[in-house]
Amino acid sequence: MKIVFVVVCALLVVLLSVGAVFMPELNRLLYQRSLFTGAEQHQHFTQQHEYYPVNEMAPAATPHELPPGEPFALPESFVHGDRVINTEAFLTHTDTAALLVLHDGRVRFENYWLSGGPEVPWLTHSVSKSLVATAVALALQEGLIEDLGDSISNYVPALMGSGFDGVSIRDVLQMSSGLRWNEDYADPESDLNRFGLTMLTGSSYDSFVAGRVRQRPPGEYMHYVGMNSQALTMLVRAVTGRSLADYLAERLWQPLGAQDRAYWSTDGEGVELGLGGLSASARDLAKLGELYRLGGSWHGAPLLDPAWVTAATTVQAPHLARGERANAQHTMGYGYHWWLPDGDDQDYSAIGIYNQFVYVSPAHEAVIVKLSAYRDYATSHEPSAYLEAETFSLFRTLVAGLAK
């Protein structure tokens, strides 16, 4: 009996040890399998640095606190098309975790729900792409990249022979690389979900990117492809000799006076998930939006080239224009990894799945950050499974009311 007891105890120790070793992979699996199923996600979106290996961006030695402004009350409702939508119900329905409204650099509204909070690092998903593009801007300013018209494969030899071979950096920034890609979240055989398997196993992101092929000539069709952003992370690392997180921490995060620690999830080789792996607080994300609103200047000091900010947030070619067109996948326009919503407002936004936004309205001197975990996101192809157009109607209503 004593022998049986010892054997059972030994087995339990082995099982617990194995479980501890593989717990991150198990958590990763359960999390990834729950995406686009209608399951609650808000707790997952605060725990990415526990599920995946990460590279960190430390807060600034001298953090910049966003100054308070006159409190702003959210409107009871807003109009979208022919519908009147209750604001509170919409925020609840989209599982909003944070809503922060800046007007002329001052906090007019800030509130948190679910597991959100002022210091909580929230997974931003594709909002991350706008940070990757900003890293490219900084490298361009330093002369590490000669010209956006250069082929990305000239700087990243691993991309020679791939779908990116001979494609200009500008076309990659504008989601116009011509790469073949299926980003259907609901299709288990889609390219995106195959990349999800790479994420799950911690396999090489770089190898996956280098294995992509061309579908059409570059520079002619806007097709939103996450691998474009991932290729740009390869570019940044190639020209700087540093990780994306390390480079951005010094050249962007610290100068902006980031208040909170941010995380980039990585593969097993320490390569950041540039297409959607940044976790950061709402306040620090608002500073990114404010930097762009101010044309690249931060407290009177130039941080980004104003010409870059203009090009990144405005239409540069017909296939990138706002509105319905045959040579684009979306009706929204596109800049350098910034979306240009439909309409004449000349506003722009970083957008991530599950209703993440860093929205900028230069005309109204406003920046809005909305972090969410909209559980019905992409559970169907109906507009109700995205609610991005409705969110822009809400934002436009908010900024119009700020000056009143």
Side-chain angles (χ1 to χ4, degrees):
M1 195 69 177
K2 187 180 292 185
I3 294 176
V4 172
F5 177 75
V6 171
V7 170
V8 169
C9 288
L11 285 172
L12 285 173
V13 169
V14 170
L15 289 172
L16 288 172
S17 299
V18 171
V21 170
F22 291 101
M23 187 57 71
E25 287 81 0
L26 178 60
N27 286 335
R28 219 178 289 173
L29 174 63
L30 295 174
Y31 159 62
Q32 289 188 199
R33 284 177 60 88
S34 72
L35 291 170
F36 316 117
T37 65
E40 271 188 7
Q41 296 295 341
H42 60 272
Q43 291 186 348
H44 288 309
F45 290 174
T46 65
Q47 297 175 336
Q48 296 300 296
H49 54 293
E50 299 175 11
Y51 297 166
Y52 300 90
V54 295
N55 290 337
E56 298 184 10
M57 295 197 299
T62 307
H64 169 72
E65 293 195 19
L66 296 166
E70 182 181 349
F72 172 72
L74 300 182
E76 183 177 332
S77 61
F78 64 97
V79 176
H80 176 73
D82 59 358
R83 289 186 291 147
V84 177
I85 301 174
N86 180 271
T87 301
E88 183 178 353
F90 182 79
L91 294 174
T92 300
H93 179 63
T94 53
D95 294 307
T96 305
L99 185 66
L100 175 61
V101 180
L102 292 185
H103 183 218
D104 195 21
R106 295 183 175 275
V107 178
R108 298 288 303 276
F109 181 89
E110 183 179 22
N111 204 5
Y112 299 90
W113 300 266
L114 302 174
S115 52
E119 300 175 357
V120 169
W122 188 267
L123 180 63
T124 66
H125 293 287
S126 289
V127 167
S128 311
K129 292 179 170 69
S130 300
L131 272 290
V132 172
T134 304
V136 174
L138 294 167
L140 182 67
Q141 288 173 205
E142 287 190 62
L144 302 175
I145 297 169
E146 291 187 15
D147 192 276
L148 295 182
D150 291 347
S151 168
I152 190 171
S153 55
N154 288 352
Y155 296 88
V156 189
L159 294 178
M160 291 181 178
S162 76
F164 288 102
D165 197 351
V167 178
S168 75
I169 298 167
R170 180 177 288 105
D171 285 336
V172 179
L173 282 164
Q174 294 174 333
M175 292 291 175
S176 305
S177 63
L179 210 67
R180 188 177 71 194
W181 185 258
N182 173 8
E183 196 147 342
D184 186 344
Y185 304 113
D187 179 2
E189 297 301 317
S190 72
D191 292 306
L192 181 68
N193 285 323
R194 287 170 54 226
F195 184 67
L197 182 60
T198 299
M199 293 173 57
L200 180 64
T201 59
S203 302
S204 170
Y205 294 161
D206 288 356
S207 295
F208 190 93
V209 176
R212 301 309 94 204
V213 299
R214 189 87 52 80
Q215 180 179 13
R216 54 172 63 90
E220 298 180 359
Y221 187 92
M222 185 271 165
H223 185 191
Y224 186 68
V225 175
M227 289 303 102
N228 288 320
S229 310
Q230 207 56 42
L232 291 174
T233 68
M234 298 174 73
L235 172 66
V236 171
R237 287 164 31 234
V239 299
T240 66
R242 304 165 67 178
S243 72
L244 176 69
D246 185 50
Y247 183 64
L248 279 173
E250 180 188 331
R251 299 287 281 109
L252 181 71
W253 218 236
Q254 298 292 321
L256 285 178
Q259 293 172 259
D260 303 301
R261 190 170 301 277
Y263 303 90
W264 283 94
S265 60
T266 74
D267 64 10
E269 299 175 356
V271 172
E272 292 88 353
L273 182 66
L275 64 85
L278 174 69
S279 295
S281 69
R283 290 175 178 176
D284 288 337
L285 291 168
K287 292 167 188 171
L288 174 70
E290 185 70 357
L291 172 67
Y292 272 79
R293 183 188 75 82
L294 294 172
S297 176
W298 189 248
H299 296 284
L303 185 53
L304 280 182
D305 183 351
W308 165 275
V309 174
T310 298
T313 59
T314 56
V315 174
Q316 299 295 308
H319 70 285
L320 303 169
R322 304 172 192 248
E324 193 74 46
R325 55 208 188 278
N327 52 2
Q329 183 190 29
H330 291 269
T331 60
M332 283 191 287
Y334 207 71
Y336 293 165
H337 275 40
W338 287 90
W339 289 97
L340 314 177
D342 294 345
D344 301 321
D345 291 66
Q346 302 307 304
D347 45 7
Y348 51 91
S349 185
I351 305 176
I353 59 171
Y354 280 87
N355 231 231
Q356 330 295 335
F357 298 87
V358 177
Y359 169 84
V360 183
S361 175
H364 294 92
E365 301 179 306
V367 172
I368 299 176
V369 175
K370 182 181 187 291
L371 303 177
S372 320
Y374 177 36
R375 70 192 69 185
D376 290 336
Y377 191 90
T379 51
S380 75
H381 294 295
E382 297 300 316
S384 61
Y386 297 89
L387 297 182
E388 288 167 351
E390 288 85 346
T391 303
F392 286 124
S393 291
L394 169 62
F395 291 166
R396 287 167 172 170
T397 299
L398 294 183
V399 300
L402 287 171
K404 294 180 181 178

